[in-house]
Amino acid sequence: MRPFSSRFWLWRLPASVGLLATLLFAGGFWLALRGSIGKPLGQAPPSSRAGALPSVRAGGRLLLVLGDSLARGTGDEMGRGFAADVLDALRKRGPVQIANLAVNGAESVEVRELVEGSNVRSLAASADWILLSVGGNDLSHAVPRGGGSPLAPVESVSRAKENYASNLRAILAVLREASPSAPIRVLGLYDPFEERGAASRLGASVILGWNALIEETALAFPDVLVVPAFDLFELRPDRLALDRFHPNRSGYELIAARILQGLPEPSAPTTPSPTQPTARK
């Protein structure tokens, strides 16, 4: 009996513990991402078509904003978002225009399709700063909506992470090719959920894992930096909008301040010097 007992403790017990840990992770992560009322957060992915693109007049500088509802400013009771705050700060040094092409509910594949279009490439080539927020919808939309296997959330989120990594690399590659020198800032993900305990910690660990992926991807491109936002909202529900998911005015102000900390100050636009008349001989 002793050899059988030894084999059981050496093999069966660790396997059982591993399975229980996996099930706990799956269930906790599912609860953390679905919120307290049991409904998936975030809107369904929109059409990849963003409608008419803004025209940029000659003169001044251009701030290009791309991505999802955070880049759009959803949840801000004043309707500004971080993009308007960044724009105001940049305009203190000179004329700046903004082209905000962010779409509520957009996933990375929609943003990639938009960026790969010739019109957005042209805007990126003219941009002096590029702000990007993408990934939150990839993660929240990956959580299964109905029942199924307890491992379904883990498998679905793992596939979504792989797709997101590929799309983010493609987005940054296109933007950097179109604009070799414009600073690009990518907003990191945050955890909007107030729940505490094992489920909350597991959900937060997944979000931090996605943030690590964003950091690693950004390192492959010059002057592409990640703007961390996780700490700004950790256990701070007072910085969230009424939907308990998007930032409120205070939250967006903090994001904008964090972006501006690492954003180069604009230099005055170069203007041709007036031609001096030549003296007649």
Side-chain angles (χ1 to χ4, degrees):
M1 293 295 294
R2 184 176 299 277
F4 173 80
S5 177
S6 299
R7 286 196 301 271
F8 175 82
W9 289 106
L10 285 175
W11 299 102
R12 296 294 180 85
L13 182 59
S16 300
V17 172
L19 178 59
L20 288 175
T22 302
L23 293 176
L24 175 62
F25 172 83
F29 179 60
W30 179 80
L31 291 173
L33 282 184
R34 285 181 69 89
S36 58
I37 62 175
K39 294 182 180 180
L41 294 173
Q43 302 179 15
S47 167
S48 60
R49 301 184 182 275
L53 296 176
S55 59
V56 180
R57 293 174 296 177
R61 293 184 175 272
L62 175 64
L63 172 66
L64 178 60
V65 184
L66 301 163
D68 51 26
S69 55
L70 288 182
R72 198 77 221 169
T74 301
D76 187 341
E77 55 270 26
M78 295 182 64
R80 291 176 52 82
F82 67 76
D85 293 330
V86 172
L87 178 65
D88 287 348
L90 295 176
R91 280 179 170 170
K92 292 180 179 179
R93 288 299 191 94
V96 180
Q97 300 178 67
I98 185 171
N100 192 332
L101 306 183
V103 180
N104 288 339
E107 295 184 6
S108 60
V109 63
E110 280 82 33
V111 178
R112 176 178 179 175
E113 291 173 359
L114 181 68
V115 168
E116 289 177 343
S118 59
N119 289 331
V120 176
R121 285 174 181 263
S122 178
L123 280 175
S126 303
D128 296 277
W129 308 272
I130 301 175
L131 305 182
L132 173 66
S133 172
V134 63
N137 291 317
D138 292 68
L139 179 53
S140 64
H141 293 162
V143 179
R145 302 302 187 238
S149 168
L151 295 179
V154 177
E155 297 170 352
S156 178
V157 169
S158 178
R159 289 193 301 270
K161 187 176 182 181
E162 293 179 3
N163 293 333
Y164 172 65
S166 175
N167 290 329
L168 181 60
R169 283 194 298 269
I171 291 169
L172 294 178
V174 171
L175 292 176
R176 184 46 76 219
E177 179 184 6
S179 179
S181 60
I184 300 176
R185 299 297 179 260
V186 184
L187 184 63
L189 307 183
Y190 64 90
D191 182 4
F193 303 103
E194 302 177 41
E195 290 85 354
R196 302 193 182 191
S200 176
R201 291 193 297 272
L202 287 169
S205 69
V206 172
I207 294 172
L208 290 174
W210 281 54
N211 280 335
L213 169 64
I214 299 173
E215 292 276 2
E216 293 173 1
T217 305
L219 284 173
F221 302 90
D223 203 7
V224 176
L225 301 179
V226 178
V227 179
F230 189 91
D231 62 306
L232 297 178
F233 298 92
E234 188 176 14
L235 301 179
R236 293 301 304 264
D238 57 305
R239 295 175 178 174
L240 295 175
L242 293 178
D243 62 7
R244 316 311 296 170
F245 187 71
H246 295 95
N248 57 18
R249 175 88 287 266
S250 174
Y252 278 118
E253 286 177 344
L254 291 169
I255 293 176
R258 184 69 59 83
I259 292 173
L260 289 166
Q261 285 177 1
L263 201 63
E265 294 186 358
S267 57
T270 56
T271 56
S273 57
T275 303
Q276 298 293 332
T278 57
R280 299 196 179 194
K281 296 183 179 179

